[in-house]
Structure formats: structure tokens, C-alpha cells
Amino acid sequence: MTETTGLHVDGAGSWLVRARKEVSYEVRVRDNLFRPDRSDLVEIGSDSPGGRRRVVVIDGNVDLLHGERIRAYFDHHAVDCAMVVVKADETVKDLATAARVAEELDRFGIARRREPVIVIGGGVLMDVVGLIASLYRRGTPFVRVPTTLIGLVDAGLGAKTGVNFNGHKNRLGSYAPAELTLLDRSFLSTVDRRHISNGLAEILKLALIKDRALFELLAEHGQVLLREKFQGRTPIGDTAAVAVLHAATQGMLEELQPNLWESELERCLDYGHTFSPTIEMRALPALLHGEAVCVDMALTTVLAYRRGLLSEDERDRVLTVMAALELPTWHPLVAPDVLLQALADTVRHRDGQQRLPLPVGIGDVTFVNDVSAQELEAAAVLQRELSETRFRRIAAGKCV
Ligand SMILES: NC(=O)c1ccc[n+]([C@@H]2O[C@H](COP(=O)([O-])OP(=O)(O)OC[C@H]3O[C@@H](n4cnc5c(N)ncnc54)[C@H](O)[C@@H]3O)[C@@H](O)[C@H]2O)c1
Ligand SMILES: O=C(CO)[C@@H](O)[C@H](O)[C@H](O)[C@H](O)COP(=O)(O)O
Ligand SMILES: [Co+2]
């Protein structure tokens, strides 16, 4: 078979169509994105005959907190804007919310290619709008402005879109990166402390399987990052915030770029996402995404320790940092039947194998395919004991 693109005809009733689509997208740090002199959001896309028109889909809470200055920004730049305000959290990450966004695109009469949809919100809204953008006329460009920590360091960086369906996390989705993602950490000033912790869980994920130096930054500066919400209110807090955001963005993109379409199903970024999709959906709305990921990481840290992949000291350091980041290290849904169902669903998702990422020490990863029910149960028992006796989540200064 030839490797070149084109139409290949074998002359016996079979045609082979080979084509390539190159994808490129930009992730740009831009503090104070909505200051009137900033033009990033005005320059992307192009004018229609009547002038510049945009649909801006904005998270309801972000609209309450930042909507006035965002509207003023678009007014200042004479952009004819439809502001679509959407309530967005995990409980409404579904097809109904997605359909509502599509109806608004129809109502506005959005042009096919030159009027990118702008989404301003957290991971939920970006995933929903990304999905609709990929479906609307089979692909309409969009631009992301993440407003949560998970949005900035994870959901805003890759190509995955999606909604929950039939009780399953992200069961319907597509691969469709935004043309441009603009990272403005000032949005984090209004995010509550629990959602900062939630985002720190995804940063910790990356640290544990890829970047020991990032882990040390979290161990040393976790509390100041939580307190200052990455706003750099002190010099030490600013240095830590910039270093952590940069390392997280760089590390995530290094992992995403070579495997954007996930043809390789052994993904180290899946760490913490083997059992958590089921736990998160069953606990909804009690556990946030990053919290469920952390419960999974605590379980698999203990499992890796039992296999001799990391030492007792390393295990305890990891659990200590989780608790210090105010994340849970156990949950009642870490029960044998739930874990086995979760694993079975993930095995289907990973096309028939566990492909379970496990930490090796702190900062490295391996993949295994032979985790048994007995091993899971034993790890869960030890996880619960450690969590209840030594590593209880500390929330706002007190154990819970
Ligand atoms: N596509 C991906 O690659 C990817 C990666 C990681 C996570 N995700 C998804 O992201 C979702 C979690 O994202 P999230 O944690 O951002 O949740 P979210 O979008 O639900 O936002 C959390 C809460 O914060 C509010 N909020 C948003 N910005 C705010 C601000 N600046 N100030 C005050 N409140 C604000 C929202 O209204 C919401 O109530 C999950 O559904 C997860 O599956 C996707
Ligand atoms: O949560 C997400 C994406 O929703 C990311 O943090 C993470 O890196 C991975 O994409 C997860 O492993 C989830 O992948 P998938 O189950 O949605 O295929
Ligand atoms: Co995740």
C-alpha cells in the first residue's frame, strides 16, 4: 500500500481515499485579557459585511462576577455580541445544555468559518461548547478562555470535548481543539478555595507521573497557592504561581501533542482517571472532578506501594501533599464492587486492556494489565486505614 495521499484505484472495484488534515492551535498566556487595550479576542476570526460579530458563551457564575467588564470590552471594540449565559457544572454537563448552545448559534445566524465562538468558563462549559462547535455544521471554529484552575491547566489545553451521557462520564465527545486558548490567571481570584484544590489535583497528577520538580513545588508552596489563588499577592506566592502554571501547561502539552487523537491508549495523563469516572458520576454532586481523581490517585499510590513501585516514605509524602492541598484521600465509594465495575468500564474504554498507569517513585510512570480483584481490595483497605488515621483531608484548617 502506498503512503501518499490521493485516490488509489486498484481497477477491480475498490477505491482507497487517503487524505491528511494538519492541525495547529495556540495556547497563549495573556494576563488581564479583558483590559480595553488588549486585542487578542478581537483579532481572531474576521469581519462579516455588517462588522465584527461574535457569539460569546459564558458560564453563569463568571457572568455574575466578571460579565460587566467583559461586555464593556466587546462594546469598546465595537463587536456585535450575543452573550449566551449558561449555568455550567457537572450536573448539567449533558446533551440538553449542549443543544441549548446550538440553538443560540442558530438564533444568531453564525457564519460558518469566520466567526469563532468564544467560550468563557470552566472545564464543563469548555467541554460542552467544544462539542457543539465540533458538531455545528460539522465544525465551527472556537476560542477558549478558561476561568477555573482545571480549565487553565487541563481542559483548556487539549483536543477533547464532551458531555456525560447515560450516567457515564464524557461518554459522548469529540476531538476538536480550539483555535486559540487564552490563559488569564486573574479569573482565579473569584474561584472558591475548594475549586482551587480541585485544579491542584490535576497538577498533582502530572507531577506524580512526570515531573518530580513540580511535585516539590506543590509540596512547598501548596498552601500559599491555595491562599493567594495564584494571584501572586506576595513575591514568593507569585514566583510559585508562575512556576507551577508554566510547568503544568508545558508538561500537559508535551504529553498531549504527540498523541492528540489518542491513537496510543497507554496515556500517562490517564493517571487518576481509571476508577474516578465511575466514582465521580456515582457521587455526583458530592465529589468534584479533581477530588475524584485524587481519591483514585491515593488508591493507586497505595497499590503501587504494595507492588514495591514506590517506598513507604514516598507513599506517605504523596498522601501528605494530597491532604495539604485539601484533597480527599479516600471516599466511601472506594468499595470492591464499585472498583470492579469501574475497572471493567475503563477496560472497555481502553479497548480491552487495563493499561493502568501506576507511579514509579515520584515523577515516573509504568503501565500494568494484571491488577486483580484481591489486589484492589487489599489496596483499598490500606488506603482507608491510612486516610482515616493519618491523612485526613484538611479543609480550611480543620480535618474533615
Ligand atoms: N477536555 C479535557 O481535556 C478536560 C480535562 C480536564 C477536565 N475536564 C473536565 O472539566 C470539568 C471540570 O472543570 P471545572 O473544575 O472547571 O468545573 P466547572 O466548569 O464546573 O467549574 C466549577 C465551578 O466554578 C464556577 N466558576 C467558573 N469560573 C469561575 C470563576 N472565575 N469565578 C468563580 N466561579 C467560577 C462554575 O460556574 C462552576 O460552578 C469536568 O467535567 C472534567 O471532565 C476536561
Ligand atoms: O479529565 C480529563 C479529560 O476529561 C483529563 O484530565 C485526563 O487527562 C484525561 O483526558 C482522562 O484520562 C479522561 O479521559 P477520557 O476518559 O475522557 O477518555
Ligand atoms: Co481529569
Side-chain angles (χ1 to χ4, degrees), residues 185-189 225 228-234 237-238 241:
R185 67 176 161 141
S186 72
F187 278 105
L188 300 183
S189 65
L225 294 172
E228 296 187 7
K229 300 184 179 182
F230 287 80
Q231 298 308 293
R233 297 198 178 106
T234 57
D238 194 44

Side-chain angles (χ1 to χ4, degrees), residues 150 154 202 205 269 273 289 293:
I150 283 198
D154 199 339
E202 293 278 21
K205 167 188 83 173
L269 294 181
H273 293 72
H289 177 69
V293 167

